[in-house]
Amino acid sequence: MKRYTTIQILKTLDKLFESGYTTTNKIRTIKWENLDQINKKFTPVEKSLVMDFRDAVAKRKIIEFLAGIDIDEESEKKQ
């Protein structure tokens, strides 16, 4: 997972929330091919961020996402 800056995260999440994706269930349903329908102003980096955020939400690893820790690596360390 790419490490994002706080500013990138905030700007992207703001676009996502403005587009009506404000619940866990809605965020879990996001697919790459639907990102342009959600918000045409997403840049390629923002699209990647949204998908990484979706994965973090689904795995309940929000803090790890915000800290830039690879979610899959974190899961492997616990096993």
Side-chain angles (χ1 to χ4, degrees):
M1 179 179 81
K2 182 179 188 253
R3 187 174 176 115
Y4 304 102
T5 66
T6 305
I7 296 298
Q8 285 175 314
I9 293 169
L10 291 174
K11 285 183 177 182
T12 304
L13 291 181
D14 190 45
K15 287 181 184 179
L16 189 63
F17 298 155
E18 285 178 357
S19 298
Y21 284 77
T22 57
T23 66
T24 299
N25 288 337
K26 278 191 169 186
I27 290 171
R28 285 182 182 162
T29 65
I30 295 173
K31 295 182 180 170
W32 180 267
E33 55 271 10
N34 298 339
L35 287 172
D36 284 332
Q37 294 171 342
I38 293 169
N39 191 319
K40 293 182 190 281
K41 295 181 183 180
F42 282 140
T43 66
V45 171
E46 289 174 330
K47 289 178 181 181
S48 293
L49 189 151
V50 168
M51 298 311 294
D52 288 341
F53 181 67
R54 181 205 61 188
D55 293 344
V57 168
K59 295 177 182 179
R60 297 182 181 153
K61 299 286 184 178
I62 304 298
I63 299 303
E64 291 82 353
F65 169 79
L66 294 173
I69 297 170
D70 190 324
I71 296 168
D72 294 325
E73 283 182 21
E74 183 66 23
S75 297
E76 290 174 9
K77 287 180 186 177
K78 291 183 179 181
Q79 294 177 355

